[in-house]
Structures are given as C-alpha cells and as structure tokens.
Amino acid sequence: MTPHHPSPPASAPPSPAAPDPQGLERIIASLASRPEPLLQAAAWGLRRFGYRRPVVAPYRVTWDLTSRCNLRCLHCSGRAGRAHPRELSFTQVKELVRRLRAFGIKRASFTGGEIFLRPDLFDVLKLAREAGLEVSVATNATLVTDAAAARLKALGVRSVQTSLDGPEAAVHNWLRGRPWAFERTCRGIRVLLRHGLPVIATMTVTRANWRSVPQTIDLAVELGLPAFSINDLIFTGRGEQLRDQAVDDEAYDSLVALFERKKRELSGRIRLAWEGAGGAEASRPPDRERAVVTSRCLAALTRFHIGPDGTVHPCNLIHLPAGNLLTQPVEEVFESPVFRAFRDREALKGRCGGCDYRFSCGGCRSRAYAYFGDIHAPDPRCRGPGARREASAP
C-alpha cells in the first residue's frame, strides 16, 4: 500500500462533559452489573483512575516468557530465536505475578518465542492460576503433545492462540521459516482440540497469501476451530524487512468484504474475529453521544505487554519501552510518559484526530508508528466510517 503522510491534528468533534460524582457512580454500578469482562473492568477502572476518555482499566497483560523459538518467522515482531540474555528466572516471574495481581491484573496471555521451549512453563502457568489469574497461551503448536495439551487443560488454560498462514504447506512454511511447520501445526491444533481447549488461529496476510484466505477459512472449519482471524502485516521486528509484502488497499478492502460475507455464511460454525480498520464503527453511536467510551485498541489502556526480560511496551507490536518491572513499580510504568502519550487521543493527527470515533477506535497505533514513526499519526488503513469504497470479496 502507499501510505499518505500524516497531517496535523484535525478539528476534533466536541466531547461531552464529565458526569457529576453521582452520575459517575450510577454509571459504575451499571457497568459492574454487566457480565462482560471488559465492562466490569471499565467499572473498576473508572473507580480507580477516574473519568477518562477512553476508559483506563488495566486488567490484562501479554507476556513473552521466552524469546527462544524453533521457527524463524519472517515477520516475527520479537525477532525470536535464541534466549534473551536477561530472560526472567522463575523466581523473578513469581514476584512479577504477585505485583501484577496487587496492581489489579486479572488476565495474562503467555507467549514467546515459543512457550514450550521454556522448561518451567507449567510451573509458571500453575503459579499464575494459583495467584488468581485467568490464563491463555500462544504457541506455534508444533511442539504440542497429548501430555502437554492435557496439562494445559488441567491447569484451566482458557484459550490457545496459534497461527495458520495458508491452506497448505508452501506459503505457511515460507512465512514460518521451516519446511515442516504446517504439518506439525495442524497436528498440534488437532491435539489441542481433542483435549477440549478452545483454539483461535490467526493468519498474517501478505501479498503471497491473501488470495488464499477463503481456503484457509475452509481449513479452519475443517479442523474444527471455534475461531479464526487475520492480521495485517505490521513492519516491526523482522517484519521491517517485508514492506514489499504488505497487501494494497484494494486487497485489504476485499478481505473486509469477504469476512462480512463469510460471517453470515458460517454463523454458528466458526467465529470470524476480524472487521478491518474502522470497520465496526459506522454502526455505533459517535463518541460524543456516549458518556463512557471503551477503546477497541486495548494497548496502554486495558492491556500492556511484558518482554522476556521484564521490559514493558504498550503493545507487542510497538517496541517503545515504558520501563522495566524488575526495577520499577507497575504503577510507575503504567503512568510513564510513553503510556500517557499512547493514551492521548486528543493528540491524534489527520483523519484519526478528526474522527467521531477517535476514543472508541483511534486506529491501530502500531501500524501508524510502523509507517510514519509517529504514534499519533493516522492509521493508513482507515478512511473513516462510511468512506471505505465498495469492494468485491476474493
């Protein structure tokens, strides 16, 4: 795609006044009574951090337990391969889990690298569960065995995320850097599903594989996956070398149309968890008509990322260090200048700055940063609700 250069902040739509204390208490009580975890977290966040737009309610972390990996994915955001020289020990992980729980974190998604290359993985998962965390994991699935899947199930792991980059071996193995990756990933997925673990597969779309998204969805259905999604290629980590592999806007729009159609066709058979940039906003009231706004992008608001050495980033796809949990309190890192800047939707530029949904959407900050080197630049994929041109699905 050919990105437009970021423009200065646009004239922003007006925001409603903050509710009075009694009104805020009513809002908090209403949100706390809802079953959705995000809304319950929003109630907690409003009480702890006060009224902010969007709501600040850090209740989730993604955590790279290791940078060791048996694959060499061309687009790996963490450049995984060898162990980090300062990878956290089990004792350090235990202490960080304790502090994160005290801060209010309720969910952790453990990833890598490849988590099954960390020898004490199951000890880490056990201590996280005993500390009261809801736990999910991300794995390339090539090392999954019946014994490992059974242990994940017994520990109460709530979900497993993996990657499926095409309906056959050639493109998946090319992107994952190993000639056996596709076969072993599919085998691992079947093992996980056989043990009753919910698995979501994610496909990173490139010029080499975007036309095979329909067939990959078919494979996901055939495997029995409960959910499938796609990711746009973000130029970070090793992905910085793949700028020529980004799909153009016409292809991107055709994938949005494809998902809209497939969601109707496959309703009840698989959850297709992708809408494209700004794709859901046009059906929602604009932010100015909503007293409380939660953000579609969770980074630095309700979720943040921890690296294998304890370094914290707003998101695993944007490598701007906000601090390190080995040497700083969680509260200090969360209120760091990096996180504060990341949360500032009033500073957004171009179409994102002038959008009616800048608080509830705000665009993908990681993608904006990858294209422009500016966390407040407009998302180059989005042209705003209703502005997306008609496209035919592949």
mmCIF file of all heavy atoms in Angstrom, residues 141-142 144 183-193:
data_model
loop_
_atom_site.group_PDB
_atom_site.id
_atom_site.type_symbol
_atom_site.label_atom_id
_atom_site.label_comp_id
_atom_site.label_asym_id
_atom_site.label_seq_id
_atom_site.Cartn_x
_atom_site.Cartn_y
_atom_site.Cartn_z
ATOM 1 N N ALA A 141 2.235 -24.313 18.059
ATOM 2 C CA ALA A 141 1.575 -25.631 18.103
ATOM 3 C C ALA A 141 2.423 -26.775 17.568
ATOM 4 O O ALA A 141 1.981 -27.924 17.592
ATOM 5 C CB ALA A 141 0.220 -25.606 17.393
ATOM 6 N N THR A 142 3.641 -26.493 17.106
ATOM 7 C CA THR A 142 4.441 -27.577 16.521
ATOM 8 C C THR A 142 4.987 -28.530 17.578
ATOM 9 O O THR A 142 5.387 -29.652 17.250
ATOM 10 C CB THR A 142 5.625 -27.011 15.707
ATOM 11 O OG1 THR A 142 6.499 -26.277 16.572
ATOM 12 C CG2 THR A 142 5.128 -26.106 14.584
ATOM 13 N N VAL A 144 3.267 -29.299 20.463
ATOM 14 C CA VAL A 144 2.163 -29.767 21.309
ATOM 15 C C VAL A 144 2.077 -31.288 21.253
ATOM 16 O O VAL A 144 2.078 -31.897 20.180
ATOM 17 C CB VAL A 144 0.832 -29.142 20.852
ATOM 18 C CG1 VAL A 144 -0.342 -29.795 21.588
ATOM 19 C CG2 VAL A 144 0.839 -27.637 21.109
ATOM 20 N N GLU A 183 2.626 -28.948 8.694
ATOM 21 C CA GLU A 183 2.163 -30.274 9.099
ATOM 22 C C GLU A 183 2.096 -30.392 10.618
ATOM 23 O O GLU A 183 1.109 -30.888 11.179
ATOM 24 C CB GLU A 183 3.099 -31.340 8.536
ATOM 25 C CG GLU A 183 2.714 -32.768 8.938
ATOM 26 C CD GLU A 183 3.720 -33.794 8.455
ATOM 27 O OE1 GLU A 183 4.659 -33.425 7.726
ATOM 28 O OE2 GLU A 183 3.574 -34.977 8.822
ATOM 29 N N ARG A 184 3.132 -29.899 11.297
ATOM 30 C CA ARG A 184 3.169 -30.030 12.753
ATOM 31 C C ARG A 184 2.183 -29.089 13.436
ATOM 32 O O ARG A 184 1.623 -29.426 14.488
ATOM 33 C CB ARG A 184 4.595 -29.785 13.251
ATOM 34 C CG ARG A 184 5.574 -30.850 12.771
ATOM 35 C CD ARG A 184 6.949 -30.661 13.377
ATOM 36 N NE ARG A 184 7.934 -31.504 12.706
ATOM 37 C CZ ARG A 184 9.224 -31.543 13.018
ATOM 38 N NH1 ARG A 184 9.691 -30.782 14.009
ATOM 39 N NH2 ARG A 184 10.058 -32.328 12.361
ATOM 40 N N THR A 185 1.971 -27.922 12.849
ATOM 41 C CA THR A 185 0.982 -27.003 13.414
ATOM 42 C C THR A 185 -0.416 -27.599 13.331
ATOM 43 O O THR A 185 -1.178 -27.568 14.310
ATOM 44 C CB THR A 185 1.029 -25.639 12.703
ATOM 45 O OG1 THR A 185 2.260 -24.987 13.029
ATOM 46 C CG2 THR A 185 -0.130 -24.751 13.128
ATOM 47 N N CYS A 186 -0.781 -28.130 12.170
ATOM 48 C CA CYS A 186 -2.113 -28.740 12.022
ATOM 49 C C CYS A 186 -2.278 -29.921 12.981
ATOM 50 O O CYS A 186 -3.346 -30.094 13.585
ATOM 51 C CB CYS A 186 -2.332 -29.185 10.578
ATOM 52 S SG CYS A 186 -2.536 -27.823 9.410
ATOM 53 N N ARG A 187 -1.229 -30.711 13.127
ATOM 54 C CA ARG A 187 -1.288 -31.828 14.072
ATOM 55 C C ARG A 187 -1.486 -31.315 15.495
ATOM 56 O O ARG A 187 -2.303 -31.837 16.266
ATOM 57 C CB ARG A 187 -0.010 -32.649 13.980
ATOM 58 C CG ARG A 187 0.007 -33.882 14.896
ATOM 59 C CD ARG A 187 1.327 -34.620 14.767
ATOM 60 N NE ARG A 187 2.431 -33.790 15.243
ATOM 61 C CZ ARG A 187 3.716 -34.014 14.961
ATOM 62 N NH1 ARG A 187 4.059 -35.028 14.173
ATOM 63 N NH2 ARG A 187 4.658 -33.215 15.436
ATOM 64 N N GLY A 188 -0.739 -30.269 15.867
ATOM 65 C CA GLY A 188 -0.873 -29.705 17.208
ATOM 66 C C GLY A 188 -2.253 -29.136 17.468
ATOM 67 O O GLY A 188 -2.798 -29.278 18.573
ATOM 68 N N ILE A 189 -2.831 -28.488 16.458
ATOM 69 C CA ILE A 189 -4.190 -27.949 16.602
ATOM 70 C C ILE A 189 -5.173 -29.077 16.893
ATOM 71 O O ILE A 189 -6.036 -28.971 17.782
ATOM 72 C CB ILE A 189 -4.595 -27.179 15.329
ATOM 73 C CG1 ILE A 189 -3.825 -25.858 15.237
ATOM 74 C CG2 ILE A 189 -6.101 -26.920 15.309
ATOM 75 C CD1 ILE A 189 -3.998 -25.132 13.921
ATOM 76 N N ARG A 190 -5.068 -30.156 16.156
ATOM 77 C CA ARG A 190 -5.978 -31.288 16.370
ATOM 78 C C ARG A 190 -5.838 -31.849 17.785
ATOM 79 O O ARG A 190 -6.833 -32.215 18.425
ATOM 80 C CB ARG A 190 -5.721 -32.368 15.327
ATOM 81 C CG ARG A 190 -6.105 -31.974 13.901
ATOM 82 C CD ARG A 190 -5.969 -33.145 12.938
ATOM 83 N NE ARG A 190 -6.387 -32.783 11.594
ATOM 84 C CZ ARG A 190 -5.549 -32.407 10.620
ATOM 85 N NH1 ARG A 190 -4.234 -32.363 10.868
ATOM 86 N NH2 ARG A 190 -6.004 -32.092 9.429
ATOM 87 N N VAL A 191 -4.601 -31.919 18.285
ATOM 88 C CA VAL A 191 -4.379 -32.434 19.640
ATOM 89 C C VAL A 191 -5.026 -31.507 20.668
ATOM 90 O O VAL A 191 -5.720 -31.955 21.593
ATOM 91 C CB VAL A 191 -2.870 -32.582 19.922
ATOM 92 C CG1 VAL A 191 -2.618 -32.900 21.398
ATOM 93 C CG2 VAL A 191 -2.258 -33.663 19.039
ATOM 94 N N LEU A 192 -4.820 -30.214 20.525
ATOM 95 C CA LEU A 192 -5.405 -29.249 21.457
ATOM 96 C C LEU A 192 -6.929 -29.334 21.470
ATOM 97 O O LEU A 192 -7.559 -29.346 22.536
ATOM 98 C CB LEU A 192 -4.963 -27.835 21.083
ATOM 99 C CG LEU A 192 -3.475 -27.509 21.288
ATOM 100 C CD1 LEU A 192 -3.094 -26.253 20.533
ATOM 101 C CD2 LEU A 192 -3.159 -27.346 22.776
ATOM 102 N N LEU A 193 -7.515 -29.413 20.283
ATOM 103 C CA LEU A 193 -8.977 -29.504 20.193
ATOM 104 C C LEU A 193 -9.483 -30.815 20.779
ATOM 105 O O LEU A 193 -10.547 -30.848 21.424
ATOM 106 C CB LEU A 193 -9.418 -29.358 18.738
ATOM 107 C CG LEU A 193 -9.192 -27.971 18.098
ATOM 108 C CD1 LEU A 193 -9.477 -28.031 16.611
ATOM 109 C CD2 LEU A 193 -10.080 -26.916 18.764
#
